[in-house]
Amino acid sequence: MSPDDLLYTKEHEWIRVSDNVGTVGITLFATKELGEVVYIELPKVGDTFKTGDAFGNVESVKAVSELFLPVTGEVTAVNEDLGNAPETLNEDPYNKGWLIEIRMKDPSETSDLMSAEEYDEYTKSEE
Amino acid sequence: MSNNHTRVGKHFQLTERLVFEEGSAGRRGFNLPELDVPRRAVTDIVDESLLRKNIDGMPELSEVDVIRHFTRLSTWNYHIDLGLYPLGSCSMKYNPRINEKVARLDGFAYAHPFMPPELIQGSLDVQKTLEKCLAEISGMDAVSLQPAAGAHGELTGILLIRAYHESKGKPRRKILIPDSAHGTNPASVTISGYVVENVPSNSSGTVDLENLRKVVDDDVAAIMITNPNTLGVFESQISEIAEVLHSHGALVYMDGANLNAMMGITRPGDFGVDVLHINLHKTFTTPHGGGGPGSGPVAVKKILEPFLPYPVVGQRSDSMLFFDHDRPQSIGKMKAYNGQFGMHVRALCYILANGPDGLKEVSEVAVLNANYIRARLKDSYALPYDSPTLHEVVFSDRIQARKDVHVGDIGKRLMDYGFHPPTVSFPLIVPGAIMIEPTETESKQELDAFIDAMKTIATESEENPDLVKKAPHTTRIGRIDEAAAARKPVLRWKPS
Amino acid sequence: MLSDIGVDSIEKLFAGIPERLRLRRLLDIPKALTEPELIEYFRQRAARNASEYSSFLGAGVYRHYIPVIVDALISRSEFFTAYTPYQPEIAQGTLQAIFEFQTFITQLTGMEVANASLYDGSTGLAESVLMGQRISKKNKFLIAKTVHPEYRAVVSVYARNLGITVETIGYSASGRIDMADLAKRLDKDVAAVVVQTPNFFGTIEQTHDISELAHQHGALSIVNVAEAISMGILKPPGLDAVETRTADIVVGEGQSLGVPMSFGGPHVGFIATRDRYVRQMPGRLVGMGQDYSGNRAFVLTLSTREQHIRREKATSNICTNQSLCALMATIYMATMGPAGLREICEQNIVKTEYAVQQIRSRTPREVLFQGSRFNEFVIKLKDDYAKCAQKLLQSRIVPGLQLSRFYPELGNAMLVCVTETTTKAQIDAFVKGLE
């Protein structure tokens, strides 16, 4: 069961929303697919993106996967700890493995995202 | 382990450190003849600020140190002279020693590409003759030997296609690629300024003609196909596929990686291909060298000939061969000079050693050997596609996966039986793919030993899966923690 | 075997190929030759190449001594008949040798990390331009006219469909890049400055000054070294106490490190860069790690950058590297050691200077470009190149390159190369032929 305080995308990102600040990461399903994460490329504070833009990528031994932003916004924080310990993404994808924080331009965009229940249904059908 | 396991015995092998950890101060492996012009200090000639003091960390070794070091390293490698490499689409066949002898002739080794033509007629003759042979074998009109490897040949081919369309007024935007294609294909497309559009395969693993008709329009520059495809299946509708492209003014590019299946039997030029690259290090037996050098000539139909890279090997009226740089429509130069000449000599030697009968026999036996393996392993491994296959066959790990044994594990366990693993996890359209291409230079004995090993592993996967999942057990090192190696990459030795 | 398959003839195995596509004649290629006939065939052709003339050609392909043990070792079938080391457990020989190559290249160039080799210097330069575009996200490149002309030609092929523009910076009377012009043309849109040292005229460039100038303007510094052995004595582009005076990418051709000239190929390209740009570097990389029992082991790594995983987002489309040629270079450097390399470089410099002095004092020919040289120089001929060349050829001397082919503004000029293999007698005969 995916954490129910989060919202999810079809590309397996999650977002935790608090007012107009969003914290973004990738799901356990994604990290399982990737295998052991070896490197993460993240944007800089101040970068802006539109919904669906690629804001970085995650690399494992066998694959590299782009990261897509679920909403439009400006990056206000980046998880610097991941540089030294990319395996955090595998160990704790929903908390310590957070990727970036954004100031959302339009918080109502989140209505397009999936709930935990909908996401779990979706991933079951993917398998 | 099974009773057939007499192929791998105990082995005497030495360990060895890095070359930087060997040697000692003052040793040298080579002495130069004394300086025969008047001695002068280098600092009198070259400004001191341009000189370096020393080379930190570079080791000092005697000739014996060097011989011992690299000889020990060499004993850790599997290689084709040791046994079978059943790698799909690699055509790992025996590298004839005669190739090595002729490539080392002084006249070839010491030839400089900028020598006046009258002093390099021998090399030019080798290149011209090889071009003619490759054109005939592939059914095409002209050949460029300039590309350095298969991927380089691909890039050249797509640039030729682009030049052709530009000469017609519109470069077009898209290139179609079947989802079974080799990894280099999409990257070559991007560098040429085109966009990739995937063409899904049908249930027999071939290009779906009806789907194709829907996606081909006047914005498609070409299709990139492999034939036989990466499943080893001959695209029997290839002429129709070519016709769909040609009727829209688009071209057909073929990846020649699987030429070993068809020499003397059918020819790309005869089934509608406009340009293809040929891997001399596959079908034409130039050695793999641990990852290169390769050579990837392109062969084209007349319509693309004007755009070939310069120079081309021309012939003057007095029959002297020369490098012709006067090529106004050429796409330019893909590489300095004219290709991997050392590999051209070897490939021509192979072609001349076989002749027309020999090359046909090569393909016939390659196809026979692959089908023999298919017939004898199809009860142990899942065959995802029913279609007849030529020189290679693709199985999947579907049966073994029920016990959580995957294709990578099967490959590792094969090492314990004295074989190199087949190609694993490719093509991408088959989950858990095992692609096997034995080639024609394997005897029935070697094939039977391989088949027995594969059958034994299938049994082990059922009865003792852990043995397979933790393989290899008999190699000098076991599986490597690749994630750790990638997280904190150590890509060079440093003095401590 | 046929009965196992369930067919009665090999012909049946090709039933999937439509009849009208079948070739129903034999291929029109020469009849098969036996081994003795093959040796004779190629011996005759090799004999039609004049390899025993003395030669003053360089221009990117150099004649140097190659120790006999290089060929002896790479002729071991364990090395030359092995496949790409995708299965590290049974390819540690190849993998460790490549790791050693990578290290030797960092030592030679003074850079932090190098890859497992590229096809050659010309495609390597093109790849480094693409790499510069990726790192800087800019598209304008300033390339010195004295970078090898065939290398520049290859760069333009790679650049043309990726929105890259190339501007050429000329050279000054010293033979080096025109620094004033470079300073004027550097602006915030420039991705990188590309120079070669020693340059095509044989003149040594002051790459540390050039790197500093490039960095001052927010551009990268890419240095091409077509004559790799020169770094055995010359301060390499990656080495300086001040980081802004070091190059960002050093790329080049390693043929002079133990690889035969072989009519232009196979040779071996190398590329080296700073640690922070390693993920933008094309080609293969070998890393050091451990197996699960803790044994040191080598493995292809960071391969997600390569074509076979990233597909259309790959950093380049390279699949093969030049592994066996990289092994030749590795064995060569191990055999020569720093002292051997230094001595070879000294002989190149001293013999070249001898030739220059002899030409000045004994012939009416002018030696152009006064900047310090390594092993090549340019002479201005008073008469026609063809006439001059013919005279030399009659004495079985291969003249230097006709420069008007690439630099028509130089008129009748010749690019002359002298290495440690050129004897005093050969130089004296060459000088006599120019009188």
Side-chain angles (χ1 to χ4, degrees):
Chain A
M1 254 305 300
S2 302
D4 54 16
D5 61 326
L6 307 178
L7 294 170
Y8 300 84
T9 71
K10 285 210 165 75
E11 283 81 29
H12 310 288
E13 288 91 14
W14 55 259
I15 181 168
R16 179 179 288 120
V17 178
S18 169
D19 291 327
N20 70 337
V21 171
T23 309
V24 181
I26 58 172
T27 65
L28 185 66
F29 182 86
T31 60
K32 281 224 178 90
E33 285 275 298
L34 279 168
E36 296 179 77
V37 174
V38 303
Y39 184 73
I40 306 159
E41 200 179 283
L42 293 173
K44 292 194 299 292
V45 169
D47 285 346
T48 57
F49 299 95
K50 293 195 300 296
T51 311
D53 278 353
F55 67 89
N57 56 58
V58 184
E59 204 179 298
S60 70
V61 171
K62 55 181 165 121
V64 69
S65 209
E66 292 201 287
L67 301 163
F68 299 102
L69 205 57
V71 292
T72 305
E74 180 189 323
V75 179
T76 51
V78 168
N79 188 347
E80 310 283 358
D81 295 332
L82 291 177
N84 281 326
E87 59 271 20
T88 312
L89 228 57
N90 297 98
E91 289 160 9
D92 188 7
Y94 297 112
N95 290 296
K96 289 222 194 72
W98 68 274
L99 297 173
I100 59 170
E101 235 178 53
I102 45 165
R103 180 168 41 242
M104 297 188 287
K105 185 145 185 265
D106 179 7
S108 70
E109 278 179 328
T110 57
S111 57
D112 296 328
L113 303 173
M114 292 184 272
S115 68
E117 219 183 294
E118 289 168 331
Y119 179 69
D120 287 341
E121 272 292 318
Y122 171 68
T123 54
K124 241 201 287 271
S125 65
E126 283 249 301
E127 275 163 11
Chain B
M1 291 197 195
S2 97
N3 292 332
N4 292 335
H5 186 57
T6 51
R7 182 183 169 89
V8 176
K10 286 225 181 287
H11 184 72
F12 166 72
Q13 213 180 57
L14 299 185
T15 59
E16 181 71 4
R17 299 186 298 172
L18 283 163
V19 74
F20 311 97
E21 296 164 322
E22 303 290 352
S24 78
R27 289 194 194 164
R28 252 170 78 163
F30 187 78
N31 289 320
L32 282 179
E34 286 257 324
L35 191 65
D36 56 358
V37 302
R39 180 163 290 283
R40 293 184 58 181
V42 168
T43 43
D44 283 349
I45 305 168
V46 174
D47 200 271
E48 190 149 9
S49 66
L50 296 172
L51 302 174
R52 73 193 297 170
K53 301 267 181 301
N54 52 21
I55 309 179
D56 262 343
M58 200 173 262
E60 297 176 77
L61 303 155
S62 68
E63 175 170 329
V64 177
D65 289 336
V66 174
I67 289 272
R68 286 259 164 86
H69 176 78
F70 290 99
T71 300
R72 288 173 188 161
L73 254 54
S74 75
T75 62
W76 306 339
N77 275 357
Y78 191 85
H79 47 109
I80 194 71
D81 277 5
L82 201 59
L84 167 70
Y85 268 92
L87 286 165
S89 274
C90 288
S91 299
M92 282 296 282
K93 56 173 80 178
Y94 170 66
N95 307 120
R97 282 312 180 278
I98 181 71
N99 293 357
E100 298 308 307
K101 183 164 180 76
V102 302
R104 283 167 169 74
L105 288 164
D106 275 359
F108 294 144
Y110 290 106
H112 191 296
F114 288 150
M115 275 168 142
E118 60 269 24
L119 297 186
I120 42 170
Q121 289 298 296
S123 296
L124 290 168
D125 186 79
V126 165
Q127 290 196 320
K128 188 114 205 102
T129 309
L130 178 63
E131 286 174 4
K132 282 208 190 107
C133 289
L134 292 176
E136 168 66 2
I137 291 166
S138 58
M140 308 297 278
D141 300 321
V143 170
S144 169
L145 297 177
Q146 203 172 105
H152 205 215
E154 254 177 43
L155 179 59
T156 307
I158 308 181
L159 289 172
L160 290 170
I161 289 169
R162 190 181 184 99
Y164 169 82
H165 285 300
E166 280 174 350
S167 78
K168 300 266 183 239
K170 193 172 91 128
R172 305 192 176 200
R173 222 178 33 92
K174 301 184 283 193
I175 298 216
L176 304 177
I177 302 187
D179 47 19
S180 54
H182 185 235
T184 53
N185 301 14
S188 315
V189 166
T190 311
I191 293 180
S192 314
Y194 282 115
V195 151
V196 172
E197 194 163 294
N198 277 307
V199 179
S201 309
N202 58 25
S203 56
S204 353
T206 49
V207 173
D208 189 304
L209 196 56
E210 285 323 303
N211 264 338
L212 184 67
R213 287 190 213 279
K214 291 196 195 113
V215 296
V216 177
D217 57 30
D218 290 346
D219 223 7
V220 169
I223 188 171
M224 287 177 79
I225 53 150
T226 312
N227 195 22
N229 66 20
T230 50
L231 297 165
V233 177
F234 189 83
E235 299 269 2
S236 53
Q237 296 188 297
I238 182 67
S239 301
E240 290 82 348
I241 291 168
E243 181 48 37
V244 173
L245 274 294
H246 290 151
S247 66
H248 282 86
L251 298 178
V252 179
Y253 177 93
M254 187 178 110
D255 178 335
N258 291 330
L259 211 57
N260 213 41
M262 62 171 84
M263 289 192 292
I265 304 207
T266 180
R267 306 189 309 170
D270 296 337
F271 54 69
V273 171
D274 300 295
V275 50
L276 77 146
H277 81 265
I278 297 169
N279 301 73
L280 296 187
H281 48 290
K282 294 186 178 185
T283 313
F284 296 97
T285 204
T286 71
H288 273 77
S295 177
V298 288
V300 300
K301 285 283 169 66
K302 245 198 278 294
I303 53 168
L304 293 176
E305 196 272 346
F307 308 106
L308 287 176
Y310 70 85
V312 297
V313 179
Q315 190 157 35
R316 299 205 294 239
S317 48
D318 61 357
S319 26
M320 171 126 8
L321 296 169
F322 72 109
F323 276 136
D324 185 359
H325 282 82
D326 184 14
R327 305 278 304 174
Q329 291 188 282
S330 168
I331 55 174
K333 277 195 96 34
M334 295 307 297
K335 183 185 169 308
Y337 326 118
N338 197 37
Q340 314 269 58
F341 178 74
M343 314 335 270
H344 303 160
V345 178
R346 292 170 168 88
L348 180 60
C349 188
Y350 175 72
I351 291 170
L352 296 177
N354 276 282
D357 298 288
L359 290 184
K360 184 165 184 201
E361 195 181 333
V362 162
S363 291
E364 287 174 338
V365 178
V367 168
L368 174 68
N369 283 356
N371 275 278
Y372 177 65
I373 289 179
R374 175 181 170 152
R376 292 208 46 212
L377 283 181
K378 67 181 197 300
D379 295 327
S380 313
Y381 292 90
L383 254 185
Y385 293 95
D386 224 337
S387 334
T389 49
L390 289 174
H391 67 313
E392 61 190 3
V393 57
V394 176
F395 292 102
S396 86
D397 62 2
R398 189 172 48 78
I399 298 170
Q400 290 71 29
R402 295 186 308 223
K403 291 287 176 96
D404 202 28
V405 170
H406 298 283
V407 66
D409 305 318
I410 297 167
K412 301 297 183 194
R413 183 63 180 147
L414 261 172
M415 293 178 192
D416 291 329
Y417 288 97
F419 292 97
H420 189 279
T423 308
V424 295
S425 305
F426 184 82
L428 299 173
I429 51 169
V430 175
I434 305 166
M435 180 166 33
I436 297 170
E437 179 190 354
T439 83
E440 74 287 356
T441 55
E442 298 303 329
S443 67
K444 185 172 182 295
Q445 285 85 345
E446 186 75 357
L447 297 179
D448 283 338
F450 172 70
I451 288 162
D452 287 343
M454 287 289 283
K455 278 176 172 319
T456 307
I457 295 171
T459 307
E460 288 170 354
S461 302
E462 264 303 307
E463 298 171 2
N464 188 0
D466 244 31
L467 186 64
V468 182
K469 286 157 70 62
K470 296 211 165 79
H473 305 282
T474 56
T475 49
R476 59 184 296 277
I477 56 147
R479 295 200 200 193
I480 295 175
D481 187 352
E482 299 196 25
R487 273 188 201 132
K488 302 246 189 297
V490 175
L491 303 169
R492 55 165 294 181
W493 171 88
K494 280 199 178 105
S496 40
Chain C
M1 286 171 81
L2 287 173
S3 62
D4 285 290
I5 299 168
V7 296
D8 57 9
S9 73
I10 289 184
E11 176 59 33
K12 292 274 169 52
L13 297 173
F14 293 100
I17 303 178
E19 177 56 37
R20 64 193 152 74
L21 298 182
R22 292 294 303 271
L23 188 68
R24 289 302 183 191
R25 60 170 175 83
L26 284 176
L27 287 169
D28 184 16
I29 57 176
K31 206 162 70 65
L33 298 176
T34 60
E35 187 176 287
E37 290 167 322
L38 284 168
I39 292 177
E40 182 54 26
Y41 178 98
F42 284 98
R43 221 189 37 74
Q44 278 179 18
R45 272 132 193 96
R48 286 161 61 198
N49 282 355
S51 56
E52 77 299 340
Y53 279 35
S54 70
S55 170
F56 290 84
L57 274 174
V61 178
Y62 301 98
R63 187 172 176 142
H64 292 288
Y65 291 128
I66 300 177
V68 158
I69 62 172
V70 173
D71 195 43
L73 285 165
I74 63 113
S75 297
R76 292 182 69 84
S77 44
E78 295 91 336
F79 281 133
F80 89 91
T81 75
Y83 183 64
T84 313
Y86 289 128
Q87 298 287 354
E89 297 89 341
I90 52 179
Q92 286 297 295
T94 298
L95 287 164
Q96 181 168 328
I98 297 175
F99 184 83
E100 293 177 352
F101 172 80
Q102 287 169 192
T103 305
F104 272 120
I105 295 296
T106 60
Q107 291 173 340
L108 204 60
T109 59
M111 301 298 284
E112 289 170 340
V113 63
N115 85 350
S117 75
L118 298 171
Y119 303 140
D120 78 327
S122 68
T123 53
L125 186 62
E127 290 285 352
S128 65
V129 165
L130 300 192
M131 183 175 162
Q133 185 191 38
R134 282 193 293 278
I135 293 171
S136 68
K137 307 222 194 317
K138 295 189 272 190
N139 300 315
K140 188 160 75 164
F141 288 78
L142 302 179
I143 302 188
K145 195 167 184 191
T146 48
V147 170
H148 194 309
E150 298 219 332
Y151 287 32
R152 286 183 286 127
V154 175
V155 169
S156 73
V157 171
Y158 276 68
R160 82 171 62 118
N161 298 306
L162 293 172
I164 292 174
T165 54
V166 170
E167 285 179 18
T168 311
I169 309 279
Y171 50 90
S172 60
S174 65
R176 292 192 290 263
I177 191 174
D178 182 346
M179 284 295 268
D181 193 25
L182 177 63
K184 221 168 44 188
R185 306 257 286 274
L186 267 166
D187 61 31
K188 59 172 179 48
D189 292 327
V190 173
V193 174
V194 182
V195 300
Q196 174 176 316
T197 189
N199 66 24
F200 195 69
F201 299 151
T203 310
I204 302 165
E205 294 280 6
Q206 286 150 329
T207 66
H208 304 87
D209 292 340
I210 295 167
S211 293
E212 189 164 52
L213 184 62
H215 294 143
Q216 275 165 8
H217 288 85
L220 297 167
S221 167
I222 297 175
V223 180
N224 177 47
V225 184
E227 192 10 339
I229 209 173
S230 64
M231 293 183 284
I233 202 169
L234 298 180
K235 189 174 164 206
L239 205 60
D240 196 288
V242 179
E243 205 200 88
T244 52
R245 290 175 61 74
T246 61
D248 297 290
I249 300 172
V250 176
V251 63
E253 176 55 63
Q255 176 266 321
S256 54
L257 300 167
V259 181
M261 295 193 291
S262 194
F263 200 54
H267 293 162
V268 57
F270 60 86
I271 186 168
T273 189
R274 303 187 194 281
D275 276 332
R276 64 179 178 271
Y277 298 138
V278 70
R279 283 185 154 80
Q280 301 306 325
M281 199 162 56
R284 297 191 175 127
L285 276 169
V286 172
M288 183 160 74
Q290 290 185 332
D291 70 2
Y292 288 106
S293 307
N295 298 308
R296 174 198 266 177
F298 299 93
V299 65
L300 285 175
T301 191
L302 300 194
S303 38
T304 49
R305 300 143 42 260
E306 279 183 64
Q307 45 79 16
H308 64 267
I309 297 183
R310 294 193 76 152
R311 293 171 74 86
E312 53 270 38
K313 299 236 168 28
T315 50
S316 87
N317 79 334
I318 286 180
C319 196
T320 359
N321 59 329
Q322 296 283 98
S323 200
L324 198 68
C325 298
L327 181 60
M328 293 176 201
T330 307
I331 295 169
Y332 178 85
M333 287 187 275
T335 307
M336 292 304 180
L341 287 177
R342 183 172 210 97
E343 190 184 337
I344 290 172
C345 288
E346 281 172 358
Q347 287 208 6
N348 274 260
I349 290 171
V350 175
K351 290 200 192 208
T352 299
E353 184 62 12
Y354 172 77
V356 166
Q357 295 308 341
Q358 291 296 99
I359 288 169
R360 281 200 175 121
S361 55
R362 290 181 195 277
T363 80
R365 319 294 174 185
E366 188 194 341
V367 177
L368 297 182
F369 307 132
Q370 301 326 309
S372 294
R373 305 177 190 89
F374 181 66
N375 65 5
E376 287 181 280
F377 56 95
V378 177
I379 55 180
K380 184 99 181 170
L381 306 168
K382 287 213 161 49
D383 46 2
D384 203 28
Y385 174 91
K387 202 150 151 262
C388 188
Q390 206 190 26
K391 186 161 174 234
L392 289 166
L393 286 166
Q394 267 158 17
S395 308
R396 298 168 75 81
I397 299 172
V398 179
L401 184 74
Q402 181 174 14
L403 269 179
S404 59
R405 167 179 177 168
F406 297 121
Y407 300 91
E409 71 273 15
L410 292 178
N412 280 310
M414 181 189 290
L415 178 67
V416 180
C417 176
V418 172
T419 72
E420 77 281 9
T421 65
T422 324
T423 64
K424 180 174 180 297
Q426 288 172 337
I427 297 172
D428 292 340
F430 176 72
V431 172
K432 196 161 167 62
L434 288 175
E435 276 165 11

